[in-house]
Amino acid sequence: IIRLLFSKTYKLQERSDLTLKEKEELIEEWQPEPLVPPVPKDHPALNYNIVSGPPTHIITVNGKECINFASFNFLGLLNNEKVKSAAQASLKKYGVGTCGPRGFYGTFDVHLELEERLAKFMRTEEAIIYSYGFATIASAIPAYSKRGDIVFVDEAACFAIQKGLQASRSNIKLFKHNDMADLERLLKEQETEDQKNPRKARVTRRFIVVEGLYMNTGDICPLPELIKLKYKYKVRIFLEESLSFGVLGEHGRGITEHFGINIDDIDLISANMENSLASIGGFCCGRSFIIDHQRLSGQGYCFSASLPPLLAAAAIEALNIMEDNPDIFQTLRAKCERIHKALQGISGLKVVGESFSPALHLQLEESCGSRENDVKLLKRVVDYCMNSGIALTQARYLEKEEKSLPPPSIRVVITVEQTEQELDKAASLLKEAAQSVLN
Amino acid sequence: MPAEFLEQKNGVSNGTLYKKTFIEHFEQAPMYVAVFTFVGFAVGTIFGYLRDFMRAWGLEKRNIAAEREQQKDFVPLYQDFENFYTRNLYLRIRDNWNRPICSVPGPQFDLMERVTDDYNWTFRFTGRIIKNVINMGSYNYLGFAETDVNALKTVTIELEKYGTGVCSTRQEMGTLDKHVELEKLVAKFLGVEDAMVFGMGFATNSMNIPALVGKGCLILSDELNHTSLVLGARLSGATIRIFKHNNMQSLEKLLRDAIIYGQPRTHRAWRKIIILVEGIYSMEGSIVRLPEIVSLKNKYKAYLYLDEAHSIGAVGATGRGVVEYFGMSPDDVDVLMGTFTKSFGAAGGYIAGKKDLVDFLRTHSHSAVYATSMCPPVAEQIIRAMKCLMGLDGTTQGLQRVRQLEKNTRYFRRKLHEMGFIIYGNDDSPVVPLLLYMPGKIGAFARRMLEKNIGVVVVGFPATPITESRARFCVSAAHTREMLDTVLNALDELGDFLHLKYSRYSKSSHPELYEESRLELED
């Protein structure tokens, strides 16, 4: 026994130690990569379009006046006088910044008022406000879903959702875009896994994350079927309504109103205020049981300064306008249908998106081989339109980071302020551009 | 300061690299304090278990929100143990946080009065407003959170012209001429080639660190880094190693081991090594040892990412941050990052450095492609604050504010030391943490200070180690000498009442009386 004990210690000495001289040599020789790789001067994303003046209906891009078909200003509230005067009043009272996170004297009465108003508008118990739209869903998901939990997410989910999922370290299962059969298959697989290990299954939480109106494809998610799947397989639903808040539904309450679903069936609705409400920031709403948890564990809420009060006041005023004029949603929908029809016949470009979606994509019908060439071709179309007075933009993605990269496309955004002539003009201009560039 | 004040737990410093004396304090409390702290937490925990037991058996009412009836058989969303601390210990003193205010967060503000009828489960606003509470909690270092009509004139004009939103990302249609103007100004202020601004400070870190480093790189981050830096490091996918707070020996050892042994298991060389540090650490009040880190970085060819969230505007002879405070040049730091929330009274963040770096970020940063840009009135506030600091608006107001902050900081810290409290951090940092240690005192301290019309911030676990709960004061340039004296007198009284003066090195707690009596004798 004693010999065994002694012989073991000798085995540990096998590792060779480097001498001091060798260590110094290694340190001398090591060369790191440069901090950033050099960016070629003609990188398509390097030269931004500079807008002088506010990005409203008539926009001045790179010195040229155009009609704005590129900013997500769906309800035209960016330039609204009432909104601006509410913001001015709040500026006089509170100054600009809040100088602190929500926990340390950064909570203003405007924040509390905005949270109450949003909760009342969406008919839920409680709402919570974040100071940046991207951070809203990216902080909400990791607050509930931890390592070991399972999240079923649509392939075409936007980048903020992907970052939230990455930060949460949960198991992610992608299902094909809007394909309920695929989702059901994944859920069934998970069920059989659970039966093998019931103890673990009792503590693994399950979530489905979907968007109301997808930013990358412009179509809508089939919410009634999702609700059925929710109760059948006992998963919770997180709905991201950045594009559909203020657009869908009779009063603008989003996709739940559009389909007539009881809002308590959805566990968490998250939206950003940067599209319809023409402010900055985001909010989550739902039952108090769920939302209250984020007040202590939402990272973008606890560790970041709160929303500047002038933006909160602007959002409250925008909500007032939305509640007082419910007919703007009808007008917006009519305009979307109009332009969707008008863009149907363009040779070389196909329209991607629902007929009532205010953010459409125009993709090339047949790609020319490489993504770079596609991007260049689309850029020529966009430049042609910009020179003739319609401001458009290409949809931008980070090529290396996206899980499922959508094909290059031109983004067309419809707002309430655009008149019918302008819509027709845009459609005919796009037809011309496609003719001249693609043929 | 006498030599026995210095108890550096951060290793020995290389004094020759510093141009002026670098004094930091991290005094340990006497042993009985630690014992009582643990006893306090133990009592709280036992009561917590008792109450949970009573609630589970229906002996006590359940006041928290509950799951829906239809979803009762879903997997529970929260595990009971995760919320134990929240339910039992945090809830008792919850009224000291999230206090709503209804005025500008300047040196004094108006607090909405809030009472609870059921021991902090719910709150009710009485409608009364407590006026002119002295603000020792907001990050208003240079006093730019103001509503003076003249000061905000340009902001009002820009708000009228631009509106409040942008509705687009930087790469699509969201770059306004205001952003270009702001970026040029930031670059000029810091003395670097180029800068880029983002809409949110937290998001600046969490979205740009993943763009700069990826798999196969090494991140060396300080123990007490902010959550945004930790999140950015985790999202990047690089390997993270932590060195002890401000401890240069620990950092050097990690650097040497990293270069010599390479990546774990494969022993391939690391692609790059980045050191993540902050200028001023908000919970400790300590300043980073920049000269030593820069010399280490040059020796081992690593890159330095400096997060100046609290230090930009607050330290340095003209308010340009820790780089100026140590008399170094901005070229020594590879990535200068900061936020505009603290010293400039606005919102947002920036990254500055060489033109290649900023061009790379313009094309590859997550925020430039997917997140909205900064809104124009906020950008204008930053522009006017920076112009004031640089003296470009024709007055010396900027420099005066910086000097006033420096004077206030020194006065406040000196007085607190004399009174006998344990204060952490560097003598020059405007963040002053005052150690409370025991959980019972956290609640008592904050509530009594509010009764005296002073608003303070108290922090406990999990933002600080469990035994070191503290009250954190943020000195501002807008505080007058009278306000600071009021606060100091209140602290003095409260310190005696709650037995908070743990320091073993204090002089007599009433030095003025001593001198007065001597004058009388000389008569």
Side-chain angles (χ1 to χ4, degrees):
Chain A
I1 299 174
I2 302 175
R3 208 184 309 143
L4 279 171
L5 282 171
F6 277 120
S7 64
K8 264 206 179 129
T9 53
Y10 283 123
K11 271 202 186 139
L12 287 169
Q13 291 286 344
E14 261 178 45
R15 183 173 54 104
S16 61
D17 285 330
L18 299 166
T19 66
L20 192 58
K21 183 161 162 302
E22 285 174 344
K23 286 186 188 173
E24 295 294 334
E25 269 177 22
L26 279 171
I27 293 177
E28 286 277 331
E29 282 171 6
W30 178 69
Q31 282 295 345
E33 278 181 10
L35 180 59
V36 288
V39 174
K41 286 272 178 292
D42 60 348
H43 196 285
L46 188 57
N47 302 311
Y48 293 160
N49 295 324
I50 301 188
V51 176
S52 357
T56 53
H57 180 54
I58 307 282
I59 189 177
T60 318
V61 186
N62 295 335
K64 210 187 306 274
E65 262 200 27
C66 308
I67 304 177
N68 192 353
F69 273 82
S71 302
F72 290 109
N73 182 15
F74 301 139
L75 301 177
L77 292 172
L78 198 59
N79 215 5
N80 192 304
E81 282 310 318
K82 276 202 262 179
V83 168
K84 278 198 220 176
S85 57
Q88 293 276 15
S90 143
L91 178 65
K92 280 198 191 47
K93 187 172 176 201
Y94 298 107
V96 180
T98 55
C99 299
R102 286 292 288 259
F104 302 152
Y105 303 116
T107 310
F108 285 49
D109 43 356
V110 264
H111 295 139
L112 297 174
E113 197 188 325
L114 180 57
E115 286 182 356
E116 263 178 55
R117 291 292 305 279
L118 281 168
K120 212 160 56 161
F121 180 73
M122 294 293 284
R123 298 203 198 121
T124 60
E125 280 179 22
E126 204 175 326
I128 180 176
I129 297 182
Y130 284 84
S131 51
Y132 205 44
F134 191 96
T136 312
I137 190 70
S139 307
I141 296 181
Y144 301 104
S145 178
K146 313 275 184 204
R147 204 193 278 266
D149 295 333
I150 303 174
V151 182
F152 300 96
V153 68
D154 192 300
E155 256 180 2
C158 70
F159 195 70
I161 296 182
Q162 290 173 27
K163 282 293 141 185
L165 292 169
Q166 198 185 349
S168 73
R169 302 200 219 191
S170 321
N171 296 336
I172 302 173
K173 300 208 160 65
L174 295 163
F175 63 90
K176 292 204 191 49
H177 178 56
N178 269 353
D179 189 350
M180 292 296 109
D182 201 29
L183 176 58
E184 183 139 20
R185 175 185 64 87
L186 283 172
L187 285 165
K188 277 209 175 68
E189 275 174 26
Q190 184 57 38
E191 213 178 4
T192 46
E193 285 270 335
D194 286 342
Q195 274 152 6
K196 288 183 206 152
N197 195 345
R199 263 186 68 193
K200 185 168 156 206
R202 247 181 301 158
V203 286
T204 351
R205 298 172 273 240
R206 272 146 251 200
F207 303 97
I208 297 179
V209 179
V210 279
E211 291 188 44
L213 256 181
Y214 286 92
M215 177 111 116
N216 292 345
T217 59
D219 42 4
I220 199 172
C221 84
L223 204 54
E225 282 123 49
L226 274 171
I227 305 280
K228 286 203 206 86
L229 284 175
K230 164 184 172 164
Y231 285 113
K232 187 165 164 201
Y233 292 97
K234 316 238 184 307
V235 264
R236 295 174 198 267
I237 300 189
F238 285 174
L239 188 60
E240 221 267 305
E241 288 220 69
S242 291
L243 284 186
S244 49
F245 178 76
V247 168
L248 292 180
E250 206 185 299
H251 296 278
R253 294 196 174 95
I255 193 174
T256 46
E257 199 178 27
H258 180 85
F259 281 119
I261 294 177
N262 180 9
I263 200 149
D264 278 342
D265 277 333
I266 312 282
D267 293 275
L268 180 80
I269 298 185
S270 139
N272 70 14
M273 307 197 278
E274 293 160 1
N275 298 337
S276 311
L277 287 180
S279 176
I280 304 260
F283 68 93
C284 290
C285 58
R287 298 185 66 241
S288 289
F289 175 67
I290 300 189
I291 299 293
D292 214 34
H293 181 66
Q294 279 184 47
R295 292 200 195 271
L296 277 180
S297 60
Q299 288 194 330
Y301 182 80
C302 302
F303 295 107
S304 175
S306 46
L307 188 63
L310 63 99
L311 295 170
I316 295 178
E317 194 58 39
L319 258 185
N320 285 344
I321 296 180
M322 269 171 70
E323 283 180 351
D324 290 336
N325 313 354
D327 42 337
I328 45 175
F329 307 114
Q330 274 298 85
T331 336
L332 181 62
R333 208 163 305 141
K335 296 202 171 145
C336 296
E337 306 251 355
R338 193 190 172 98
I339 199 161
H340 192 89
K341 222 185 321 191
L343 288 174
Q344 284 299 343
I346 304 186
S347 61
L349 291 174
K350 63 174 182 221
V351 181
V352 174
E354 296 270 346
S355 63
F356 48 77
S357 151
L360 306 165
H361 286 266
L362 285 170
Q363 289 174 4
L364 289 171
E365 265 179 16
E366 28 179 274
S367 146
C368 6
S370 77
R371 196 186 166 91
E372 260 188 60
N373 291 341
D374 286 347
V375 167
K376 284 204 186 102
L377 213 56
L378 287 171
K379 185 167 185 327
R380 283 168 58 195
V381 175
V382 169
D383 286 338
Y384 185 98
C385 292
M386 291 252 248
N387 286 336
S388 323
I390 299 278
L392 290 171
T393 175
Q394 281 195 47
R396 301 269 184 201
Y397 305 103
L398 270 178
E399 268 119 42
K400 301 202 185 66
E401 309 271 340
E402 285 260 8
K403 280 216 172 76
S404 69
L405 191 58
S409 59
I410 300 180
R411 210 192 280 272
V412 179
V413 176
I414 294 105
T415 74
V416 165
E417 290 178 324
Q418 289 155 358
T419 64
E420 316 228 316
Q421 294 97 316
E422 288 166 351
L423 289 174
D424 292 334
K425 177 177 172 199
S428 62
L429 202 58
L430 274 165
K431 277 201 180 75
E432 265 180 57
Q435 283 280 4
S436 70
V437 171
L438 296 171
N439 291 345
Chain B
M1 292 253 152
E4 57 260 30
F5 257 48
L6 299 170
E7 264 182 60
Q8 298 181 3
K9 68 179 182 193
N10 301 326
V12 182
S13 75
N14 182 351
T16 54
L17 291 168
Y18 292 82
K19 297 198 173 85
K20 50 181 164 179
T21 48
F22 187 84
I23 306 174
E24 286 196 341
H25 308 263
F26 289 100
E27 197 180 326
Q28 301 274 29
M31 183 52 97
Y32 73 89
V33 173
V35 169
F36 277 121
T37 312
F38 280 117
V39 166
F41 273 109
V43 168
T45 320
I46 295 176
F47 269 98
Y49 278 122
L50 183 66
R51 299 289 277 271
D52 272 349
F53 176 74
M54 282 164 57
R55 269 190 279 261
W57 282 88
L59 293 169
E60 196 175 309
K61 221 167 22 132
R62 279 176 196 232
N63 280 338
I64 45 173
E67 180 67 275
R68 277 174 84 202
E69 278 305 319
Q70 295 97 321
Q71 289 179 216
K72 270 264 171 343
D73 49 351
F74 279 41
V75 177
L77 196 54
Y78 317 117
Q79 295 184 319
D80 275 337
F81 188 70
E82 276 170 16
N83 285 1
F84 180 79
Y85 179 80
T86 320
R87 265 200 314 271
N88 296 310
L89 294 168
Y90 172 72
L91 206 67
R92 289 171 189 276
I93 44 178
R94 193 163 80 113
D95 57 317
N96 297 317
W97 288 283
N98 294 310
R99 288 185 179 152
I101 76 180
C102 45
S103 75
V104 64
Q108 286 180 330
F109 55 37
D110 301 333
L111 208 58
M112 288 170 73
E113 195 183 20
R114 203 166 60 146
V115 294
T116 173
D117 302 318
D118 48 4
Y119 301 105
N120 285 350
W121 283 103
T122 56
F123 293 106
R124 183 174 53 92
F125 293 110
T126 59
R128 217 165 61 88
I129 298 181
I130 310 176
K131 284 207 168 292
N132 288 337
V133 179
I134 299 183
N135 181 3
M136 296 304 284
S138 294
Y139 303 135
N140 184 18
Y141 298 134
L142 290 175
F144 279 117
E146 53 194 0
T147 47
D148 181 31
V149 175
N150 272 335
L152 291 179
K153 202 161 44 159
T154 45
V155 184
T156 322
I157 299 176
E158 298 298 328
L159 178 55
E160 196 52 49
K161 181 175 166 201
Y162 283 94
T164 51
V166 182
C167 303
S168 193
T169 66
R170 280 304 285 270
Q171 283 196 357
E172 291 186 12
M173 203 55 84
T175 307
L176 309 176
D177 44 0
K178 268 270 158 279
H179 295 134
V180 177
E181 192 189 332
L182 176 58
E183 287 174 358
K184 286 205 184 70
L185 192 62
V186 170
K188 194 160 144 209
F189 178 70
L190 294 168
V192 289
E193 287 178 21
D194 204 356
M196 183 171 178
V197 299
F198 304 96
M200 183 193 191
F202 186 96
T204 311
N205 275 331
S206 57
M207 294 205 250
N208 289 309
I209 298 182
L212 290 173
V213 288
K215 267 193 146 61
C217 304
L218 177 65
I219 295 184
L220 296 173
S221 115
D222 191 295
E223 221 178 358
L224 299 174
N225 267 341
H226 190 253
T227 316
S228 57
L229 288 166
V230 173
L231 183 64
R234 271 179 38 202
L235 283 176
S236 68
T239 318
I240 308 175
R241 300 220 173 122
I242 303 196
F243 62 92
K244 293 201 184 42
H245 177 59
N246 245 356
N247 189 331
M248 296 299 111
Q249 280 79 20
S250 167
L251 177 58
E252 180 157 15
K253 182 170 182 317
L254 279 179
L255 274 168
R256 289 181 74 91
D257 284 345
I259 302 182
I260 294 171
Y261 295 114
Q263 300 190 22
R265 290 191 296 132
T266 56
H267 294 294
R268 273 188 222 136
W270 293 106
R271 282 174 42 205
K272 25 185 181 205
I273 299 186
I274 280 202
I275 307 176
L276 292 181
V277 282
E278 291 189 38
I280 293 186
Y281 290 91
S282 57
M283 283 300 151
E284 303 281 311
S286 52
I287 299 187
V288 66
R289 293 171 190 268
L290 198 60
E292 293 179 54
I293 292 193
V294 169
S295 78
L296 275 179
K297 151 188 121 72
N298 286 332
K299 182 173 168 196
Y300 293 101
K301 293 183 275 233
Y303 299 112
L304 183 58
Y305 183 105
L306 181 64
D307 176 347
E308 293 208 78
H310 285 266
S311 53
I312 188 79
V315 287
T318 59
R320 279 165 170 78
V322 277
V323 170
E324 188 185 29
Y325 177 74
F326 287 111
M328 311 184 69
S329 116
D331 295 329
D332 289 328
V333 182
D334 297 294
V335 188
L336 281 160
M337 178 263 167
T339 60
F340 299 117
T341 339
K342 280 100 185 176
S343 306
F344 296 96
Y350 68 87
I351 289 200
K354 300 235 170 345
K355 190 152 185 346
D356 300 333
L357 169 70
V358 179
D359 278 343
F360 179 79
L361 285 178
R362 284 193 211 282
T363 49
H364 289 85
S365 157
H366 303 192
S367 157
V369 187
Y370 295 107
T372 345
S373 32
M374 193 189 266
C375 83
V378 168
E380 179 56 38
Q381 158 78 357
I382 303 170
I383 291 178
R384 75 117 188 147
M386 233 178 228
K387 282 193 178 152
C388 177
L389 257 187
M390 288 163 73
L392 290 176
D393 60 343
T395 68
T396 54
Q397 209 192 62
L399 265 167
Q400 276 173 0
R401 287 180 195 248
V402 177
R403 297 257 179 285
Q404 182 68 30
L405 177 65
E406 218 180 322
K407 264 197 324 209
N408 284 354
T409 313
R410 282 188 191 275
Y411 178 69
F412 197 68
R413 276 182 175 265
R414 187 170 52 90
K415 282 282 175 188
L416 283 176
H417 271 301
E418 284 172 6
M419 284 188 209
F421 292 101
I422 295 190
I423 313 278
Y424 272 13
N426 194 305
D427 269 347
D428 288 321
S429 94
V431 178
V432 186
L434 190 152
L435 271 291
L436 295 172
Y437 297 107
M438 297 181 203
K441 297 195 184 176
I442 306 176
F445 185 81
R447 287 176 194 145
R448 283 183 192 271
M449 288 298 266
L450 188 59
E451 280 169 22
K452 295 183 201 281
N453 247 18
I454 301 174
V456 298
V457 158
V458 284
V459 249
F461 183 77
T464 64
I466 195 155
T467 47
E468 291 179 8
S469 10
R470 57 199 71 176
R472 185 182 67 177
F473 299 102
C474 291
V475 184
S476 159
H479 283 137
T480 60
R481 191 49 85 93
E482 292 83 36
M483 287 185 213
L484 288 181
D485 280 332
T486 323
V487 176
L488 287 165
N489 287 336
L491 279 175
D492 209 4
E493 277 178 53
L494 209 54
D496 287 327
F497 179 70
L498 287 176
H499 299 288
L500 287 172
K501 299 186 180 175
Y502 299 122
S503 177
R504 283 170 283 200
Y505 300 117
S506 65
K507 303 190 184 123
S508 148
S509 40
H510 298 284
E512 298 89 86
L513 274 175
Y514 190 44
E515 279 158 41
E516 266 185 82
S517 59
R518 216 187 326 152
L519 279 169
E520 282 177 21
L521 283 174
E522 279 175 20
D523 236 352

